[in-house]
Amino acid sequence: MRALGRFVGAALLLVGLAGPAWADPLPKLAIDADHVTVSGISSGAYMANQFHVAHSARVDGAGLVAGGLYGCAVSTVINDKVMATASRALAHCMRQSVFLESADRFVGIARQLERAGAIDALAGLRGDRVYLFTGEADTVVGAKVVRTAAEALGTLGVTTTLVSSLQGTPGAGAKAGHAFLTPDRGNAACSDEKSPFFNACRYDQAEAILKVLYGPSLAPPAPALSGRLLRFDQSAYVRGGKAIKASLWDEGLVYVPADCATGAACRLHIAFHGCKQSDQVLGPAEKFWDLAGYNSWADTNHIVVLYPQARAIGATEGFPLTAINPEGCWNWWGYGLDGKFLGREGLQISAVNAMINALAGR
């Protein structure tokens, strides 16, 4: 979607429109950077869990849809780095997860990285809340992967809510495919597994996630948005100053409700899209930040929503084979030879953490 104009300072966020606009750098807001929540679907679920574990001191909980097992593609841990491969990701972490090990192995990976100082102390996870979802008709990421993620998190002291069926949910649709679920937007069939990977299932997944993370007493969603969706340059938050080096798209987005723009104390939620769902890839009428439904809930509940964007990198762009990411996935199998992708120093995790600090004025 084309930019609607350039903003100078946070005061201009007051304009009551919902369309995106340029904002560079990120606005400084009264958010609590030490109590953040995250969520994601598919590769975004992996990224959300990675970020939660790496920064458990500042993240209070996560929503993981169709993915998320920490270290799933890792074969070896060497000090503060890991070795992971796409082949292992395909064999262990997707639908045919027959080779997937027990939850204890992945808890062990986290504990090794904790001892190496690559992630925050795992004690920070205790009492955190995590929503996990696996669709009954999901043919991309198997239920075993999501259930193992729930077991591993439970071992680390997390309170998990695992949803595997929409049956019994009032008004819910058919069995869900590999997609983020909405009440009435996206693909018409709940079991679909095609672009934009949003399915109309008569189930508000954004609501379900946010109520696990923030409690059931959220205010109803806004019928019309009061805030602004701002674009920003992601390169400013990447070590070395080049977003493409971290397989990040040029622009990220942040939704700022009107009250948050005028100085109200607000919370921060980070939503990670899945593969083939970045702003770079999806058309103007099917954007992740629009279809997911977070913004209407954020608008009435003092929540700023950050939408970082991964980048699709093809084989013709001059990068080595290890850096190819043709579907714009988040890094959960170590592409780009980033051996620290699971920890605080990972290129993508450190960039998103820098975005949090910028929003909080740190």
Side-chain angles (χ1 to χ4, degrees):
M1 185 177 289
R2 307 264 324 161
L4 298 182
R6 185 173 298 274
F7 280 73
V8 181
L12 293 181
L13 294 168
L14 290 170
V15 181
L17 299 174
W22 283 98
D24 186 17
L26 280 165
K28 296 179 182 179
L29 306 170
I31 63 166
D32 187 347
D34 295 320
H35 293 282
V36 176
T37 61
V38 296
S39 66
I41 171 175
S42 195
S43 76
Y46 282 102
M47 185 61 182
N49 198 21
Q50 289 168 193
F51 194 89
H52 184 194
V53 174
H55 284 287
S56 61
R58 74 175 352 175
V59 180
D60 291 341
L64 311 178
V65 178
L69 177 58
Y70 187 80
C72 190
V74 169
S75 58
T76 308
V77 180
I78 305 173
N79 298 322
D80 62 345
K81 297 181 180 180
V82 299
M83 294 181 63
T85 62
S87 59
R88 181 181 165 86
L90 291 170
H92 292 70
C93 312
M94 306 295 283
R95 183 63 185 178
Q96 303 301 325
S97 52
V98 293
F99 300 110
L100 187 68
E101 300 92 340
S102 71
D104 288 343
R105 180 179 186 276
F106 304 101
V107 172
I109 290 171
R111 286 178 172 154
Q112 285 179 272
L113 291 173
E114 177 191 32
R115 288 193 294 270
I119 61 176
D120 286 354
L122 292 171
L125 293 170
R126 294 173 190 161
D128 287 359
R129 299 171 298 278
V130 172
Y131 165 103
L132 302 101
F133 180 84
T134 176
E136 290 182 85
D138 192 328
T139 67
V140 179
V141 174
K144 182 179 179 182
V145 177
V146 180
R147 293 183 185 280
T148 303
E151 185 179 350
L153 288 167
T155 299
L156 293 169
V158 173
T159 300
T160 60
T161 299
L162 176 61
V163 180
S164 59
S165 173
L166 296 179
Q167 308 308 316
T169 303
K175 296 178 180 179
H178 190 77
F180 196 93
L181 311 186
T182 74
D184 55 9
R185 303 186 71 188
N187 298 313
C190 192
S191 59
D192 273 351
E193 296 184 318
K194 61 184 182 181
S195 185
F197 298 96
F198 285 92
N199 291 351
C201 293
R202 289 178 284 171
Y203 179 78
D204 192 334
Q205 199 145 51
E207 174 188 10
I209 290 170
L210 293 176
K211 285 187 173 180
V212 166
L213 299 182
Y214 296 119
S217 59
L218 291 180
L225 298 181
S226 70
R228 294 301 304 262
L229 185 73
L230 305 178
R231 295 185 182 275
F232 63 92
D233 179 6
Q234 293 195 130
S235 290
Y237 308 98
V238 178
R239 292 197 304 271
K242 292 185 178 181
I244 194 170
K245 294 293 186 181
S247 200
L248 293 179
W249 183 230
D250 300 334
E251 301 166 359
L253 302 104
V254 60
Y255 180 74
V256 184
D259 61 341
C260 301
T262 55
C266 289
R267 299 173 284 197
L268 176 64
H269 182 76
I270 305 170
F272 295 100
H273 61 76
C275 301
K276 300 182 181 180
Q277 284 188 319
S278 71
D279 228 46
Q280 174 192 11
V281 174
L282 289 180
E286 50 184 21
K287 295 300 190 183
F288 180 87
W289 43 262
D290 178 35
L291 293 175
Y294 284 116
N295 295 346
S296 59
W297 287 96
D299 215 43
T300 53
N301 288 284
H302 318 293
I303 302 171
V304 173
V305 187
L306 177 65
Y307 296 99
Q309 300 291 303
R311 188 186 201 106
I313 296 179
T316 62
E317 295 186 62
F319 283 80
L321 184 61
T322 53
I324 301 306
N325 180 29
E327 296 183 349
C329 302
W330 290 99
N331 193 356
W332 61 278
W333 68 87
Y335 62 63
L337 300 179
D338 184 1
K340 297 186 177 183
F341 74 94
L342 279 179
R344 292 187 303 260
E345 295 302 311
L347 286 174
Q348 292 181 348
I349 286 180
S350 62
V352 174
N353 194 55
M355 295 172 196
I356 295 173
N357 289 335
L359 284 167
R362 295 185 178 180

